[in-house]
Amino acid sequence: LCSEQKKEKQLANNIKINYELLKNENSDELIGADSGLKDIYKKILTVSKHQVNVLITGETGTGKELIAKTIHFLSPRKDGPFIKINSTAIPESLFESELFGYKKGAFSNAFQDKPGKIEMANGGTLFLDEIGDMDLSLQTKLLRVLQEKEVERLGSNKVVKVDFRLIVAANKNLQDKIDSKLFREDLFYRMNEFPITLPPLRERKQDIMKLALYFIKKACDELKIKYVELSKGAEAKIVNYSWPGNVRELKNAMKRVVIANGEDCTITEEHFDFLFNNRTSSLELTIETAISLLKDKIISKQLQLTDIENLVVDSILKEFDNNVALAVEKTGVSKNRFYKIK
């Protein structure tokens, strides 16, 4: 096994060990030991044994891919491939060929046969991230694959039998998409054989400090510097922050403050001011002023609502130097919206 696979298998085993400890000892020393995470550990251990499709929902940064990998490496398919594809990270024009593969000559740049992600997942697990942004026509083709257990590459009439477990993730309410006719209801039921919902970090207050201290220690070890502590004020600031980017944002923030802290022994609350930079006492007044100005522009037909939305999304993306992942983490806006603007 490569080092990455070994880490993922160890992580899956740790989830199993953590749950057993929680069940038998109600340990408070475990990271993510609140009752909500205990229930998720139980679900992971239960579903990993069975050949059913899994839908993981939760906000950006809650660890959906991590859970998917854990299910795979605890399952009978653990020695098979774990294949991931992000529905928003690949342009729509290329997504179908990435998912289904293609035959040489199927289109202008198809110089050789290429298997798709579905074929590559044969014997293992296919993880589709951000499934809510998948095009309707591709949803229809994916449903057929799940029903028939076979796939055809683009430009080919040859049918290839496939055997894989499907795990999908979404940070949106798929029921709203179904109601809006943007997502197939039959596909939803096909892939939602076992749902897992991950709670946002702001609903896991008792876990925040445990995770923060863990990430600080990890950052110190990686940077090879002596361990630093948090002041009481810093602890209060961390716990009271809403963490819109969830665990991923917390991890990045802890590493940032460790680097900024240098050789000091204590991290103070001032080190976390960057988390609150966009929150001002005049925020409400600013919004009211902006709405008033935009309203006049709309009434005079100088602007449409879609123009305003595009301008705002474009402005946010520029604020983060066109880093889509960071913009999503900080705002919660879907990757698809940023990629369309980009």
Side-chain angles (χ1 to χ4, degrees):
L1 290 175
C2 68
S3 59
E4 188 63 27
Q5 284 180 313
K6 286 180 180 178
K7 286 180 183 177
E8 288 164 353
K9 282 204 168 187
Q10 183 58 51
L11 171 66
N13 192 50
N14 287 346
I15 291 282
K16 188 172 183 179
I17 292 170
N18 278 6
Y19 175 69
E20 291 302 319
L21 286 170
L22 281 167
K23 185 171 66 175
N24 297 324
E25 302 175 16
N26 195 28
S27 171
D28 288 326
E29 298 304 314
L30 296 170
I31 299 172
D34 77 346
S35 58
L37 267 292
K38 180 179 177 181
D39 181 58
I40 287 171
Y41 285 175
K42 182 178 180 180
K43 286 183 176 181
I44 290 170
L45 294 175
T46 299
V47 75
S48 62
K49 303 171 188 175
H50 304 289
Q51 178 54 38
V52 294
N53 299 327
V54 181
L55 170 62
I56 306 171
T57 54
E59 295 179 3
T60 299
T62 48
K64 295 186 288 295
E65 182 178 348
L66 185 66
I67 299 301
K69 286 181 177 179
T70 302
I71 292 170
H72 170 74
F73 284 108
L74 284 175
S75 76
R77 295 176 175 269
K78 61 182 181 296
D79 295 323
F82 178 88
I83 304 298
K84 172 192 172 184
I85 184 167
N86 190 312
S87 302
T88 58
I90 300 171
E92 287 183 17
S93 58
L94 301 177
F95 191 82
E96 185 174 6
S97 61
E98 281 291 315
L99 190 60
F100 297 100
Y102 52 83
K103 182 178 174 60
K104 180 180 178 181
F107 47 86
S108 58
N109 293 323
F111 300 120
Q112 59 184 13
D113 291 357
K114 181 183 176 182
K117 299 289 188 182
I118 293 175
E119 277 187 72
M120 292 168 64
N122 192 41
T125 301
L126 177 67
F127 175 54
L128 291 177
D129 200 5
E130 307 291 358
I131 188 71
D133 292 315
M134 179 180 283
D135 184 79
L136 273 170
S137 63
L138 291 182
Q139 292 177 33
T140 302
K141 293 181 179 181
L142 176 61
L143 178 62
R144 181 182 177 279
V145 171
L146 294 176
Q147 291 171 336
E148 306 296 332
K149 299 295 183 182
E150 59 187 30
V151 65
E152 291 181 25
R153 297 182 186 179
L154 298 183
S156 172
N157 294 322
K158 183 180 178 181
V159 172
V160 178
K161 289 292 183 181
V162 287
D163 171 32
F164 62 92
R165 181 218 281 272
L166 178 67
I167 302 178
V168 299
N171 65 3
K172 298 182 180 70
N173 188 328
L174 289 182
Q175 189 58 57
D176 289 344
K177 290 240 171 192
I178 292 170
D179 294 341
S180 301
K181 308 299 182 185
L182 296 174
F183 201 87
R184 290 188 61 123
E185 189 170 19
D186 45 3
L187 176 59
F188 173 76
Y189 288 121
R190 173 71 66 168
M191 67 189 192
N192 189 31
E193 293 175 334
F194 193 93
I196 296 177
T197 301
L198 302 181
L201 190 56
R202 62 181 173 275
E203 293 179 7
R204 299 166 49 198
K205 290 286 187 183
Q206 69 186 77
D207 286 342
I208 292 176
M209 280 310 304
K210 296 173 188 176
L211 287 164
L213 294 173
Y214 170 76
F215 289 136
I216 286 173
K217 184 180 184 304
K218 188 174 181 180
C220 289
D221 291 343
E222 288 177 0
L223 298 167
K224 294 180 171 54
I225 62 176
K226 63 183 180 181
Y227 183 72
V228 292
E229 297 181 343
L230 290 168
S231 70
K232 292 297 182 184
E235 289 183 5
K237 205 159 192 175
I238 290 170
V239 172
N240 291 323
Y241 181 61
S242 62
W243 297 108
N246 292 291
V247 178
R248 186 184 300 140
E249 182 184 11
L250 177 64
K251 179 181 178 180
N252 293 341
M254 294 308 107
K255 189 168 187 177
R256 175 171 171 172
V257 296
V258 166
I259 294 171
N261 189 58
E263 294 299 315
D264 292 339
C265 296
T266 304
I267 295 173
T268 65
E269 58 185 294
E270 286 78 15
H271 284 97
F272 294 98
D273 285 346
F274 67 92
L275 294 173
F276 299 85
N277 281 345
N278 293 328
R279 297 186 178 187
T280 65
S281 59
S282 61
L283 181 61
E284 186 174 339
L285 178 61
T286 304
I287 291 175
E288 286 179 354
T289 304
I291 288 174
S292 177
L293 291 171
L294 291 172
K295 179 185 66 177
D296 293 339
K297 293 288 186 182
I298 292 170
I299 290 172
S300 63
K301 297 184 179 180
Q302 292 178 303
L303 272 178
Q304 294 183 349
L305 288 175
T306 52
D307 296 329
I308 296 169
E309 184 183 3
N310 289 338
L311 286 169
V312 171
V313 174
D314 184 45
S315 179
I316 291 171
L317 191 57
K318 288 176 181 176
E319 181 71 20
F320 295 104
D321 298 322
N322 286 320
N323 185 326
V324 173
L326 184 59
V328 170
E329 179 182 312
K330 291 293 185 182
T331 66
V333 177
S334 76
K335 292 178 185 177
N336 199 36
R337 285 296 291 116
F338 286 120
Y339 277 114
K340 282 181 179 178
I341 290 294
K342 194 173 181 180

